[in-house]
Amino acid sequence: TIEVAWAEEAKTSGRPLYAWCYLGHLARAFSFYGNFNGFPGCFAHAIDKEFKLYKQLGYRGMFHCGLPMEVDSYVMFRLMDNADLNVDTLLDEYFTGLYGAAGAPLKELYLAMEKVFCDPAVRQDKVPNGGNAQEVDWKYLGTAERMAGYGKLVAKTQTLAATDREKRNVKLFELGTWKYMIEGRAQYTLRK
């Protein structure tokens, strides 16, 4: 891969190696430029794999061009500090720390969305050059069936959040992510 080639060149030249990461751009670029609510980019396990590779190849730092959604940013910043951390432990830490018992269904939701978002078979060749990214997001990723299942997980959080802090954090998730997704699916349905 290109990362390995650069690492080899850096060893030979003695030049330090840094990464320029477009992780936030990946998650929102098409929806931003296409003026629609896109399916959220969830890819903590891919971030984990990349950052472990950066460590192995001797990268000394990185610059971020945009940041991914909150949970992925959390994982990314923790791995920047220590690439040996376990990504699943970090996800547990994130969801439990913010949502308490309500974190379990939100983690399940996140992992389901990550599985869809990162599966090339779900989106492969669905958007030829200049194609419709909104259609990929909501016809193939955020299908009506998936959204119904996701909605059941979100509904569970309302009964599980115990403290005022957990309830506020669940409400923030609902406003910042879940409502965004519902509106994205509705925009797509209306356009169709």
Side-chain angles (χ1 to χ4, degrees):
T1 65
I2 192 112
E3 291 98 341
V4 174
W6 286 338
E8 292 302 319
E9 190 277 332
K11 283 181 191 172
T12 304
S13 69
R15 197 174 352 182
L17 192 59
Y18 298 86
W20 189 311
C21 300
Y22 289 90
L23 300 177
H25 185 72
L26 168 69
R28 300 284 184 203
F30 290 125
S31 60
F32 178 77
Y33 295 113
N35 196 26
F36 68 92
N37 292 10
F39 188 86
C42 301
F43 47 94
H45 287 88
I47 292 170
D48 178 62
K49 183 178 176 184
E50 277 297 305
F51 280 45
K52 284 177 176 27
L53 176 64
Y54 294 157
K55 179 183 178 187
Q56 174 191 340
L57 296 177
Y59 280 59
R60 298 199 36 207
M62 57 200 60
F63 174 80
H64 296 282
C65 188
L67 295 173
M69 64 187 285
E70 296 84 359
V71 62
D72 291 333
S73 287
Y74 178 80
V75 167
M76 178 182 67
F77 288 127
R78 292 295 311 274
L79 291 171
M80 284 173 61
D81 189 44
N82 180 357
D84 294 323
L85 295 173
N86 179 284
V87 67
D88 294 305
T89 301
L90 293 175
L91 290 171
D92 286 338
E93 200 176 270
Y94 177 85
F95 286 103
T96 303
L98 275 178
Y99 307 107
L106 287 178
K107 182 182 177 192
E108 186 178 343
L109 169 64
Y110 175 85
L111 292 173
M113 290 168 48
E114 180 187 37
K115 183 177 179 182
V116 170
F117 185 79
C118 292
D119 184 351
V122 174
R123 69 166 73 179
Q124 191 172 2
D125 301 323
K126 303 285 193 280
V127 180
N129 293 335
N132 186 336
Q134 184 183 30
E135 186 165 322
V136 170
D137 279 6
W138 299 111
K139 181 177 180 180
Y140 299 105
L141 301 177
T143 64
E145 295 77 20
R146 286 191 185 110
M147 288 295 287
Y150 297 161
K152 290 176 184 174
L153 291 170
V154 172
K156 283 184 186 179
T157 65
Q158 296 163 349
T159 60
L160 294 173
T163 68
D164 286 341
R165 178 182 178 272
E166 292 168 4
K167 290 174 185 176
R168 277 193 309 270
N169 287 343
V170 165
K171 188 68 170 168
L172 288 172
F173 171 83
E174 289 173 356
L175 291 171
T177 301
W178 183 237
K179 183 178 178 185
Y180 175 89
M181 292 174 69
I182 290 170
E183 289 174 3
R185 178 77 196 161
Q187 290 166 352
Y188 169 72
T189 303
L190 183 64
R191 187 184 69 82
K192 290 308 278 177

